[in-house]
Amino acid sequence: MKRTAFRLLAAASLWLVALGAASAEERPRYGGTLRVQMKEAVLSFDPTDDKELTAARTRLAFLIFDRLTQIDDQGRVRPQLAWSWTSDAEHKTWRFTLRSGVLFHDGTQLSGAHVVGHFARANDPRWQVRLGNGPQVVVFECANPIYDLPAILASPRYSVVLHAEKPEGTGPFRVESWQPGRQLLLAANLDYFEGRPYLDAVDIQMGNSLRDQVIDARLDRDELLEVDIEQALRLQSARQRVDTSSPSRLLALVFRTQNPALRELLARSIDRNAIHAAILKKSGSPAVSLLPQWLTGYAVLMNDVPDPARLQKLRSDLSKAAPLYLAFDPSDPLNKAIADRIAVNARDVGLTVQVFGEKNLSASSRADALLFTFPAPSANSTQALIELAEAAQVDQNDVLSAGSPEDLFVAEDSLLGAYRVAPIAHLPVTVWLSTRIRNWKTLPEGRWRLEQVWLDSVK
Amino acid sequence: MRYTSLLHPMFLQSRFLPSVRRLAATVFMLLSVGGSADAQSSPAPDSPWSRPAHDLLTKALDKAGSPSTVTIDVENRSALSSSDLQSIRQAFDNELRAAKVKVVRMESALSEMKFILSRNARGLLWIAQVKQGTSEQVSMLEFVDPSNARSASPALFQLQRSLLLSRTSPMLDVAVGDNYLLVLGSEQLSLYPRDSPGASPMASVFISHLNIWPRDLRGRLFTSGDTFAAYLPGVRCRGTVRPALMAQCSESDDPWPLLPGDPSASAFFSSGRNHYSGVLAGNLSAASVPAFFSATRLGDSDGAVWLFAGTDGFTRLYIRIEKSPQPVRTVASLGSDMAALQTNCGSRWQLLVTGDGDESSPDTLQAFEIASEIKDRAAAVVSDKLSFSGPVTALWSAPDPSRAIAITRNPGKDTYEAHSVSLTCGR
């Protein structure tokens, strides 16, 4: 008996020593407020309103709202609010079964009726949404086959929003206070169905000019700063912690002119390699495809081998073309340099391009072309191409019916062939991070997964 | 048929290969006409590239109308190794031969066939471009990279299993005592007689907990003499097996030991999740790795290798776990669950991993060895697959290092089964 007791004591001591030592070590700590600086002055955090879904709004959407599905790091579709889904053989009828027990931030329980009402308001002509058998089953009846609807519905633009006094989501963070264009204070959603975030709060300041000296001053105050390419390079050389995603943001010309020959000539005239090397300081990669090579694997097929005969024909057809107006966003100084370079390239093929800065690019009324940076898409090629097509307002039917990489390649090739969008470069998303930030994960598309982040107390 | 390549196979294996690859990303397979195929060594019939080569070529030839003569060009855009590249070339050769398509010089070819070995976010993407006159057909094949996942060398050893227990309620972990089995379930700890797989529990105690268990609940059980410690997300239980089964459970965020018999190496488990957070503790403290589903150690000396099965689908190999550990190798798709075996076979340390498939499909276990060269650290198959009728829901290293505990779900019987898995040398 005595020996048994001794053994018990010895064994217990061993565990206590081991666990006691471990408990003194670093562990994921709950709590703390993450202070973030975003460049864009976001005026609405509701991703389903009719405003342009910019990169900043996309990031906020992922923090506050959920979607029926989500895309993982490898581009696979995973359940989110929908626990499972099935389709008919034609891919025209899709049934989604919702997770039970999910709460909106105001305490309302998510039901199929909410989802149906939400999608009915959007009135998307591609599908009709109705309740299925049971309150948690939602059925999408598509006008035409949509091969990968679950991937499409993972887009932030299909976030499920409860339009109460303010837009309510089910996401990992709820809105605590909101000053449009200035500050968004988020608090952890303690009832989040995937577990509450480690952080207590996220304080997002926005719309501030982040010049170099401002950034330097903020390094001691903030934990996360959006920085541009040049700033990232400078901070990296100063041994600061900078996170760079895969090159995924598409910098492109989006044409408004209805003259296809003019679009093609300007697109063909761009010296992408020079822009990449001289202006972008070799950050990211020159682009001739809409989606980057790392994402699709087939972008290597989309080469830009010069076609002098075609160029000559376009030049002679457009010898008397009127000047073309190219608008760029002046908030990033690189945009002006790139626009100027495009104008120089255009001059080489006999086109006159006049560049001008426009704060609200998509509202520009006099531009024939916009120098536009598309937000980084997800790691799912289908969803990414749909997103680009929607943002560029070009036909997406081929993409919707794409069921294989070949189909997607053909669809993308077809989009490119219309010369509505002329890719220039794929750019990474760059942020400066405080050393306090732990569990930060670089996602290929530059999304912030702040629900996984925790703060170390030591800076 | 006799083949001549611009890059001799010996040269492809040389240390100059990286620069060769940089200089010539495109590897032309210039194949001479005439001669005998017998001169060329046959590829291993179980080459992981045979299937994708067959599938891609079938698609390409279907589209192109099976031209009788072609030229071949293979472009490596996915940083495949030289040995993989050789195997792939060989696989294409074999498939073309089987399809009765002759590889000829450019001037006498009906079609030009180009294979681009590319990669995307999901895995490998192989592209076949077939040019005939002015027309061009493109075919693609997307698949998981088998060179990262599974090597296909001949099996050396044999996996064996013995059924410990079968019951209807889920099991998270099982500890094997001298004459008992202690079983960790989602709501109970139960004591069963050993060597009696169909027996009823001799005793059970409830696990008290306030938090809601996450889906895909996981838990660990460690015994030391007659005492045990059980870990569930956010909860830790301590208790005794003898003289009576007793347990005291409380809320706890303490790290879980990673290895049986070595409580000093531990890691924090994400409360409300099914994985470890990636933050390590104990003698691995001050370090963090990407969040992982399981971790194990191969070797017990300075040359030990740590493996972490990340939640991102990558398995990372570390030689040193220090403040900012850097993996010496990251491989895809070794599976979410793995366990180490210490045996008298081969390098004496084997890695046991689960097979492909989801939670509803039959599963397998297979043993691997990790190459000792630091720069490579490739995983090589050393056993045949051990099949189960349902998914492996848990796989843990056991206190007896020559064994692992595998818990499976048998969908046919609607039961959960606990197995002790071991390795025997030879086939």
Side-chain angles (χ1 to χ4, degrees):
Chain A
M1 188 69 186
K2 198 173 173 184
R3 286 179 61 190
T4 306
F6 179 76
R7 275 210 307 273
L8 277 172
L9 185 64
S13 303
L14 189 67
W15 283 103
L16 281 172
V17 168
L19 298 175
S23 63
E25 306 299 338
E26 287 187 275
R27 67 173 64 181
R29 275 190 283 271
Y30 287 85
T33 297
L34 182 81
R35 286 161 299 183
V36 180
Q37 285 286 333
M38 286 172 74
K39 282 190 281 191
E40 185 182 331
V42 175
L43 298 172
S44 162
F45 61 81
D46 179 354
T48 61
D49 66 14
D50 55 1
K51 297 183 177 67
E52 182 191 329
L53 198 51
T54 59
R57 294 186 66 215
T58 298
R59 287 205 182 100
L60 298 185
F62 279 115
L63 300 178
I64 303 167
F65 304 97
D66 287 318
R67 290 133 295 278
L68 293 183
T69 56
Q70 58 184 324
I71 304 293
D72 73 10
D73 307 353
Q74 292 174 286
R76 296 171 299 199
V77 185
R78 298 291 191 213
Q80 198 169 52
L81 291 176
W83 182 242
S84 64
W85 52 86
T86 58
S87 81
D88 63 355
E90 284 185 283
H91 295 98
K92 288 180 77 173
T93 302
W94 286 86
R95 288 171 196 280
F96 293 82
T97 303
L98 301 182
R99 224 178 259 275
S100 55
V102 176
L103 300 176
F104 285 101
H105 296 154
D106 68 350
T108 306
Q109 186 145 347
L110 173 77
S111 70
H114 288 122
V115 177
V116 170
H118 167 77
F119 279 97
R121 264 192 305 279
N123 199 22
D124 194 311
R126 294 172 297 180
W127 49 62
Q128 297 274 326
V129 185
R130 62 174 171 80
L131 272 180
N133 298 330
Q136 296 296 98
V137 180
V138 176
V139 181
F140 284 68
E141 304 278 8
C142 304
N144 295 301
I146 299 183
Y147 192 84
D148 204 355
L149 183 62
I152 293 166
L153 295 181
S155 161
R157 73 179 69 244
Y158 301 116
S159 298
V160 175
V161 182
L162 178 68
H163 287 99
E165 282 184 26
K166 65 177 192 295
E168 300 283 357
T170 56
F173 294 94
R174 61 180 173 77
V175 176
E176 186 77 11
S177 71
W178 167 234
Q179 297 175 54
R182 295 184 58 196
Q183 187 194 31
L184 176 63
L185 185 60
L186 300 173
N189 174 9
L190 303 184
D191 299 320
Y192 191 49
F193 63 90
E194 288 191 331
R196 64 149 285 178
Y198 290 123
L199 297 166
D200 281 341
V202 181
D203 181 357
I204 302 173
Q205 304 280 334
M206 55 186 75
N208 295 326
S209 165
L210 290 179
R211 288 190 293 270
D212 292 351
Q213 62 273 29
V214 178
I215 285 180
D216 290 345
R218 296 214 68 101
L219 297 186
D220 287 334
R221 294 164 51 189
D222 296 327
E223 281 86 30
L224 177 57
L225 298 178
E226 272 190 320
V227 292
D228 62 32
I229 290 166
E230 285 190 322
Q231 289 163 339
L233 292 172
R234 188 179 66 83
L235 289 167
Q236 270 173 329
S237 66
R239 296 184 174 275
Q240 290 288 328
R241 183 181 174 193
V242 173
D243 181 71
T244 303
S245 75
S246 303
S248 47
R249 291 184 299 147
L250 174 66
L251 174 71
L253 285 185
V254 178
F255 290 107
R256 292 234 178 114
T257 172
Q258 297 304 313
N259 184 339
L262 189 60
R263 299 196 299 257
E264 183 178 349
L265 182 58
L266 185 55
R268 284 180 179 274
S269 73
I270 301 169
D271 186 344
R272 293 165 175 82
N273 290 327
I275 290 171
H276 176 243
I279 302 174
L280 298 175
K281 308 283 193 289
K282 296 191 175 175
S283 179
S285 55
V288 290
S289 60
L290 297 174
L291 300 182
Q293 164 69 13
W294 67 264
L295 178 55
T296 65
Y298 63 61
V300 289
L301 297 175
M302 295 165 171
N303 55 37
D304 60 344
V305 177
D307 184 347
R310 178 70 184 156
L311 209 56
Q312 186 55 44
K313 180 173 187 319
L314 288 168
R315 284 186 71 163
S316 59
D317 290 352
L318 295 165
S319 57
K320 291 178 182 168
L324 187 140
Y325 291 91
L326 170 60
F328 64 89
D329 175 1
S331 66
D332 186 340
L334 286 182
N335 286 338
K336 177 158 190 342
I338 293 168
D340 286 340
R341 187 67 183 227
I342 290 169
V344 170
N345 291 154
R347 198 183 312 140
D348 293 343
V349 295
L351 288 179
T352 303
V353 171
Q354 296 189 354
V355 304
F356 64 100
E358 184 83 76
K359 271 192 172 176
N360 189 354
L361 263 190
S362 47
S364 176
S365 56
R366 64 183 177 121
D368 299 305
L370 312 173
L371 180 63
F372 196 83
T373 305
F374 292 86
S378 79
N380 179 287
S381 317
T382 305
Q383 197 224 32
L385 199 52
I386 293 271
E387 286 290 294
L388 282 173
E390 284 190 2
Q393 297 174 353
V394 295
D395 182 52
Q396 53 180 266
N397 282 333
D398 289 346
V399 192
L400 288 172
S401 58
S404 67
E406 288 107 315
D407 294 344
L408 210 60
F409 164 66
V410 170
E412 183 174 341
D413 202 38
S414 168
L415 288 178
L416 285 167
Y419 288 100
R420 290 280 176 192
V421 182
I424 298 170
H426 286 118
L427 305 173
V429 176
T430 46
V431 291
W432 170 86
L433 299 168
S434 154
T435 52
R436 288 186 68 205
I437 291 190
R438 303 292 298 268
N439 223 13
W440 175 266
K441 183 163 189 182
T442 306
L443 297 175
E445 72 274 29
R447 179 156 53 94
W448 296 349
R449 198 178 280 170
L450 297 187
E451 63 271 26
Q452 301 274 32
V453 162
W454 59 280
L455 286 176
D456 200 342
S457 57
V458 181
K459 196 152 189 174
Chain B
M1 191 183 294
R2 191 159 53 92
Y3 295 76
T4 314
S5 170
L6 275 180
L7 296 177
H8 189 276
M10 289 298 286
F11 189 57
L12 281 172
Q13 287 177 332
S14 81
R15 63 195 168 90
F16 300 109
L17 182 72
S19 57
V20 170
R21 259 206 238 124
R22 278 199 299 274
L23 288 170
T26 302
V27 177
F28 288 98
M29 292 169 62
L30 291 184
L31 303 147
S32 66
V33 189
S36 162
D38 297 336
Q40 180 67 31
S41 62
S42 298
D46 56 353
S47 161
W49 307 114
S50 301
R51 187 80 218 175
H54 170 83
D55 291 349
L56 180 62
L57 204 64
T58 303
K59 283 175 91 170
L61 292 176
D62 279 352
K63 276 191 181 176
S66 293
S68 56
T69 54
V70 297
T71 59
I72 296 291
D73 173 5
V74 179
E75 185 179 329
N76 181 9
R77 299 290 295 240
S78 50
L80 286 162
S81 70
S82 58
S83 59
D84 280 333
L85 202 56
Q86 277 184 289
S87 296
I88 293 164
R89 283 168 35 175
Q90 191 63 55
F92 281 130
D93 283 351
N94 287 349
E95 293 302 327
L96 283 167
R97 206 179 305 144
K100 304 199 184 317
V101 177
K102 264 190 169 178
V103 180
V104 296
R105 290 181 190 280
M106 179 80 82
E107 56 269 25
S108 46
L110 290 174
S111 301
E112 294 170 41
M113 195 172 267
K114 180 175 184 179
F115 297 106
I116 301 173
L117 313 180
S118 186
R119 182 182 288 279
N120 65 17
R122 295 185 200 225
L124 292 178
L125 183 82
W126 284 6
I127 303 167
Q129 280 179 297
V130 184
K131 283 185 189 168
Q132 290 176 299
T134 55
S135 77
E136 181 179 292
Q137 304 288 341
V138 175
S139 305
M140 297 183 191
L141 186 76
E142 189 178 63
F143 60 101
V144 174
D145 183 351
S147 68
N148 278 345
R150 308 278 191 266
S151 168
S153 58
L156 298 170
F157 315 130
Q158 195 163 26
L159 284 174
Q160 293 186 323
R161 68 178 170 201
S162 65
L163 181 64
L164 297 170
L165 183 67
S166 175
R167 71 177 200 180
T168 53
S169 57
M171 293 181 267
L172 306 178
D173 198 0
V174 173
V176 183
D178 48 7
N179 62 354
Y180 65 84
L181 296 176
L182 182 60
V183 177
L184 176 63
S186 56
E187 303 297 333
Q188 287 185 325
L189 279 148
S190 303
L191 200 62
Y192 289 82
R194 191 172 157 174
D195 303 325
S196 185
S200 299
M202 301 184 291
S204 292
V205 290
F206 279 99
I207 298 166
S208 58
H209 62 99
L210 296 173
N211 54 329
I212 299 167
W213 292 139
R215 291 178 189 271
D216 187 22
L217 177 65
R218 303 180 75 200
R220 299 252 27 212
L221 189 55
F222 300 93
T223 54
S224 176
D226 289 339
T227 66
F228 67 84
Y231 294 81
L232 293 125
V235 171
R236 188 186 61 196
C237 303
R238 285 177 178 169
T240 58
V241 178
R242 294 187 186 111
L245 179 63
M246 291 168 55
Q248 275 201 323
C249 301
S250 57
E251 289 187 45
S252 168
D253 284 337
D254 284 347
W256 297 13
L258 290 172
L259 305 169
D262 181 6
S264 60
S266 52
F268 291 95
F269 198 89
S270 296
S271 179
R273 306 283 168 98
N274 63 346
H275 58 79
Y276 295 85
S277 67
V279 178
L280 307 178
N283 62 11
L284 308 177
S285 61
S288 66
V289 296
F292 60 93
F293 288 113
S294 63
T296 194
R297 188 179 64 195
L298 293 181
D300 53 4
S301 60
D302 289 345
V305 177
W306 276 96
L307 295 103
F308 292 85
T311 57
D312 58 359
F314 290 94
T315 300
R316 294 176 175 81
L317 282 70
Y318 298 86
I319 293 176
R320 285 187 202 87
I321 305 287
E322 46 201 14
K323 192 163 186 184
S324 300
Q326 294 299 316
V328 291
R329 187 168 164 87
T330 301
V331 295
S333 303
L334 274 184
S336 300
D337 293 280
M338 53 191 187
L341 291 176
Q342 187 181 11
T343 67
N344 292 323
C345 313
S347 69
R348 297 183 182 273
W349 287 93
Q350 286 81 31
L351 180 70
L352 206 53
V353 302
T354 54
D356 297 331
D358 59 21
E359 54 187 42
S360 59
S361 54
D363 211 340
T364 59
L365 287 178
Q366 195 164 26
F368 289 75
E369 283 192 358
I370 306 295
S372 57
E373 285 178 39
I374 290 174
K375 282 184 183 168
D376 192 359
R377 294 284 179 187
V381 173
V382 293
S383 81
D384 286 328
K385 288 179 179 175
L386 181 65
S387 297
F388 296 92
S389 54
V392 175
T393 58
L395 176 66
W396 303 115
S397 299
D400 174 356
S402 68
R403 294 181 177 276
I405 298 293
I407 294 164
T408 65
R409 191 164 60 80
N410 186 330
K413 294 182 182 173
D414 204 16
T415 56
Y416 288 83
E417 295 172 350
H419 304 268
S420 171
V421 179
S422 59
L423 191 79
T424 55
C425 308
R427 303 194 68 184

mmCIF file of all heavy atoms in Angstrom, chain A residues 161-182:
data_model
loop_
_atom_site.group_PDB
_atom_site.id
_atom_site.type_symbol
_atom_site.label_atom_id
_atom_site.label_comp_id
_atom_site.label_asym_id
_atom_site.label_seq_id
_atom_site.Cartn_x
_atom_site.Cartn_y
_atom_site.Cartn_z
ATOM 1 N N VAL A 161 -26.003 38.515 -44.877
ATOM 2 C CA VAL A 161 -26.164 39.727 -44.072
ATOM 3 C C VAL A 161 -27.611 39.813 -43.599
ATOM 4 O O VAL A 161 -28.535 39.588 -44.376
ATOM 5 C CB VAL A 161 -25.818 40.985 -44.910
ATOM 6 C CG1 VAL A 161 -25.950 42.248 -44.059
ATOM 7 C CG2 VAL A 161 -24.415 40.878 -45.493
ATOM 8 N N LEU A 162 -27.781 40.090 -42.332
ATOM 9 C CA LEU A 162 -29.117 40.363 -41.796
ATOM 10 C C LEU A 162 -29.266 41.870 -41.755
ATOM 11 O O LEU A 162 -28.529 42.554 -41.027
ATOM 12 C CB LEU A 162 -29.260 39.769 -40.392
ATOM 13 C CG LEU A 162 -30.590 40.025 -39.684
ATOM 14 C CD1 LEU A 162 -31.725 39.280 -40.377
ATOM 15 C CD2 LEU A 162 -30.507 39.585 -38.223
ATOM 16 N N HIS A 163 -30.189 42.390 -42.551
ATOM 17 C CA HIS A 163 -30.345 43.845 -42.593
ATOM 18 C C HIS A 163 -31.319 44.275 -41.509
ATOM 19 O O HIS A 163 -32.526 44.366 -41.722
ATOM 20 C CB HIS A 163 -30.800 44.285 -43.983
ATOM 21 C CG HIS A 163 -29.693 44.185 -44.990
ATOM 22 N ND1 HIS A 163 -29.570 43.115 -45.845
ATOM 23 C CD2 HIS A 163 -28.636 44.989 -45.243
ATOM 24 C CE1 HIS A 163 -28.485 43.273 -46.595
ATOM 25 N NE2 HIS A 163 -27.897 44.400 -46.248
ATOM 26 N N ALA A 164 -30.794 44.496 -40.326
ATOM 27 C CA ALA A 164 -31.590 44.997 -39.208
ATOM 28 C C ALA A 164 -31.315 46.499 -39.104
ATOM 29 O O ALA A 164 -31.234 47.178 -40.118
ATOM 30 C CB ALA A 164 -31.192 44.263 -37.933
ATOM 31 N N GLU A 165 -31.156 47.006 -37.902
ATOM 32 C CA GLU A 165 -30.838 48.439 -37.756
ATOM 33 C C GLU A 165 -29.536 48.748 -38.471
ATOM 34 O O GLU A 165 -29.355 49.801 -39.047
ATOM 35 C CB GLU A 165 -30.721 48.792 -36.275
ATOM 36 C CG GLU A 165 -32.070 48.942 -35.603
ATOM 37 C CD GLU A 165 -31.910 49.390 -34.157
ATOM 38 O OE1 GLU A 165 -30.884 50.035 -33.829
ATOM 39 O OE2 GLU A 165 -32.805 49.089 -33.377
ATOM 40 N N LYS A 166 -28.616 47.816 -38.356
ATOM 41 C CA LYS A 166 -27.386 47.926 -39.132
ATOM 42 C C LYS A 166 -27.111 46.531 -39.711
ATOM 43 O O LYS A 166 -27.701 45.550 -39.244
ATOM 44 C CB LYS A 166 -26.234 48.410 -38.261
ATOM 45 C CG LYS A 166 -25.804 47.488 -37.145
ATOM 46 C CD LYS A 166 -24.607 48.086 -36.421
ATOM 47 C CE LYS A 166 -23.939 47.094 -35.483
ATOM 48 N NZ LYS A 166 -24.720 46.652 -34.363
ATOM 49 N N PRO A 167 -26.275 46.442 -40.694
ATOM 50 C CA PRO A 167 -26.013 45.113 -41.268
ATOM 51 C C PRO A 167 -25.373 44.201 -40.217
ATOM 52 O O PRO A 167 -24.362 44.562 -39.621
ATOM 53 C CB PRO A 167 -25.031 45.410 -42.408
ATOM 54 C CG PRO A 167 -25.151 46.868 -42.679
ATOM 55 C CD PRO A 167 -25.521 47.509 -41.387
ATOM 56 N N GLU A 168 -26.018 43.059 -39.977
ATOM 57 C CA GLU A 168 -25.504 42.124 -38.971
ATOM 58 C C GLU A 168 -24.943 40.887 -39.659
ATOM 59 O O GLU A 168 -25.553 40.368 -40.604
ATOM 60 C CB GLU A 168 -26.621 41.671 -38.021
ATOM 61 C CG GLU A 168 -27.284 42.792 -37.246
ATOM 62 C CD GLU A 168 -26.446 43.300 -36.079
ATOM 63 O OE1 GLU A 168 -25.359 42.733 -35.841
ATOM 64 O OE2 GLU A 168 -26.878 44.255 -35.416
ATOM 65 N N GLY A 169 -23.838 40.425 -39.164
ATOM 66 C CA GLY A 169 -23.243 39.219 -39.710
ATOM 67 C C GLY A 169 -23.191 38.112 -38.677
ATOM 68 O O GLY A 169 -23.698 38.260 -37.555
ATOM 69 N N THR A 170 -22.591 37.006 -39.061
ATOM 70 C CA THR A 170 -22.396 35.883 -38.137
ATOM 71 C C THR A 170 -20.911 35.621 -37.918
ATOM 72 O O THR A 170 -20.542 34.634 -37.292
ATOM 73 C CB THR A 170 -23.020 34.594 -38.723
ATOM 74 O OG1 THR A 170 -22.432 34.362 -40.015
ATOM 75 C CG2 THR A 170 -24.524 34.708 -38.859
ATOM 76 N N GLY A 171 -20.046 36.469 -38.464
ATOM 77 C CA GLY A 171 -18.610 36.212 -38.532
ATOM 78 C C GLY A 171 -17.893 36.294 -37.199
ATOM 79 O O GLY A 171 -18.504 36.548 -36.149
ATOM 80 N N PRO A 172 -16.594 36.107 -37.213
ATOM 81 C CA PRO A 172 -15.820 36.022 -35.970
ATOM 82 C C PRO A 172 -15.770 37.333 -35.184
ATOM 83 O O PRO A 172 -15.492 37.312 -33.989
ATOM 84 C CB PRO A 172 -14.419 35.618 -36.447
ATOM 85 C CG PRO A 172 -14.376 35.915 -37.899
ATOM 86 C CD PRO A 172 -15.766 35.795 -38.401
ATOM 87 N N PHE A 173 -16.041 38.452 -35.842
ATOM 88 C CA PHE A 173 -16.041 39.735 -35.134
ATOM 89 C C PHE A 173 -17.355 40.475 -35.395
ATOM 90 O O PHE A 173 -17.909 40.396 -36.488
ATOM 91 C CB PHE A 173 -14.866 40.615 -35.604
ATOM 92 C CG PHE A 173 -13.513 40.051 -35.245
ATOM 93 C CD1 PHE A 173 -12.811 39.262 -36.143
ATOM 94 C CD2 PHE A 173 -12.955 40.295 -33.995
ATOM 95 C CE1 PHE A 173 -11.573 38.727 -35.812
ATOM 96 C CE2 PHE A 173 -11.709 39.759 -33.660
ATOM 97 C CZ PHE A 173 -11.022 38.976 -34.563
ATOM 98 N N ARG A 174 -17.825 41.183 -34.369
ATOM 99 C CA ARG A 174 -19.031 42.004 -34.545
ATOM 100 C C ARG A 174 -18.646 43.474 -34.473
ATOM 101 O O ARG A 174 -17.609 43.829 -33.882
ATOM 102 C CB ARG A 174 -20.079 41.663 -33.492
ATOM 103 C CG ARG A 174 -19.629 41.908 -32.081
ATOM 104 C CD ARG A 174 -20.704 41.551 -31.062
ATOM 105 N NE ARG A 174 -20.158 41.646 -29.723
ATOM 106 C CZ ARG A 174 -19.948 42.779 -29.072
ATOM 107 N NH1 ARG A 174 -20.258 43.932 -29.636
ATOM 108 N NH2 ARG A 174 -19.428 42.773 -27.858
ATOM 109 N N VAL A 175 -19.482 44.304 -35.070
ATOM 110 C CA VAL A 175 -19.180 45.743 -35.122
ATOM 111 C C VAL A 175 -19.526 46.374 -33.785
ATOM 112 O O VAL A 175 -20.669 46.308 -33.318
ATOM 113 C CB VAL A 175 -19.968 46.424 -36.264
ATOM 114 C CG1 VAL A 175 -19.732 47.926 -36.256
ATOM 115 C CG2 VAL A 175 -19.562 45.815 -37.598
ATOM 116 N N GLU A 176 -18.539 46.969 -33.169
ATOM 117 C CA GLU A 176 -18.742 47.640 -31.884
ATOM 118 C C GLU A 176 -19.053 49.121 -32.116
ATOM 119 O O GLU A 176 -19.963 49.664 -31.521
ATOM 120 C CB GLU A 176 -17.470 47.504 -31.038
ATOM 121 C CG GLU A 176 -17.571 48.030 -29.633
ATOM 122 C CD GLU A 176 -18.338 47.096 -28.708
ATOM 123 O OE1 GLU A 176 -18.607 45.955 -29.104
ATOM 124 O OE2 GLU A 176 -18.686 47.536 -27.601
ATOM 125 N N SER A 177 -18.272 49.747 -32.985
ATOM 126 C CA SER A 177 -18.582 51.137 -33.355
ATOM 127 C C SER A 177 -18.060 51.406 -34.758
ATOM 128 O O SER A 177 -17.110 50.747 -35.213
ATOM 129 C CB SER A 177 -17.976 52.131 -32.357
ATOM 130 O OG SER A 177 -16.573 52.173 -32.498
ATOM 131 N N TRP A 178 -18.672 52.369 -35.398
ATOM 132 C CA TRP A 178 -18.400 52.555 -36.827
ATOM 133 C C TRP A 178 -18.487 54.038 -37.169
ATOM 134 O O TRP A 178 -19.519 54.665 -36.979
ATOM 135 C CB TRP A 178 -19.421 51.736 -37.617
ATOM 136 C CG TRP A 178 -19.544 52.004 -39.091
ATOM 137 C CD1 TRP A 178 -20.690 52.304 -39.766
ATOM 138 C CD2 TRP A 178 -18.515 51.967 -40.088
ATOM 139 N NE1 TRP A 178 -20.448 52.450 -41.101
ATOM 140 C CE2 TRP A 178 -19.112 52.246 -41.332
ATOM 141 C CE3 TRP A 178 -17.145 51.719 -40.040
ATOM 142 C CZ2 TRP A 178 -18.386 52.293 -42.521
ATOM 143 C CZ3 TRP A 178 -16.421 51.764 -41.228
ATOM 144 C CH2 TRP A 178 -17.049 52.042 -42.435
ATOM 145 N N GLN A 179 -17.372 54.573 -37.638
ATOM 146 C CA GLN A 179 -17.341 55.930 -38.174
ATOM 147 C C GLN A 179 -16.924 55.803 -39.631
ATOM 148 O O GLN A 179 -15.732 55.597 -39.907
ATOM 149 C CB GLN A 179 -16.335 56.796 -37.422
ATOM 150 C CG GLN A 179 -16.664 56.995 -35.949
ATOM 151 C CD GLN A 179 -15.551 57.773 -35.253
ATOM 152 O OE1 GLN A 179 -15.185 58.850 -35.691
ATOM 153 N NE2 GLN A 179 -15.010 57.194 -34.208
ATOM 154 N N PRO A 180 -17.884 55.894 -40.538
ATOM 155 C CA PRO A 180 -17.570 55.632 -41.952
ATOM 156 C C PRO A 180 -16.354 56.418 -42.433
ATOM 157 O O PRO A 180 -16.231 57.614 -42.184
ATOM 158 C CB PRO A 180 -18.838 56.081 -42.682
ATOM 159 C CG PRO A 180 -19.915 55.928 -41.666
ATOM 160 C CD PRO A 180 -19.289 56.252 -40.351
ATOM 161 N N GLY A 181 -15.476 55.714 -43.061
ATOM 162 C CA GLY A 181 -14.289 56.336 -43.641
ATOM 163 C C GLY A 181 -13.192 56.646 -42.645
ATOM 164 O O GLY A 181 -12.104 57.086 -43.040
ATOM 165 N N ARG A 182 -13.458 56.437 -41.345
ATOM 166 C CA ARG A 182 -12.452 56.810 -40.339
ATOM 167 C C ARG A 182 -12.052 55.647 -39.433
ATOM 168 O O ARG A 182 -10.888 55.327 -39.306
ATOM 169 C CB ARG A 182 -12.974 57.975 -39.496
ATOM 170 C CG ARG A 182 -13.150 59.251 -40.309
ATOM 171 C CD ARG A 182 -13.566 60.378 -39.418
ATOM 172 N NE ARG A 182 -12.583 60.606 -38.363
ATOM 173 C CZ ARG A 182 -12.821 61.317 -37.273
ATOM 174 N NH1 ARG A 182 -14.005 61.873 -37.091
ATOM 175 N NH2 ARG A 182 -11.881 61.478 -36.367
#
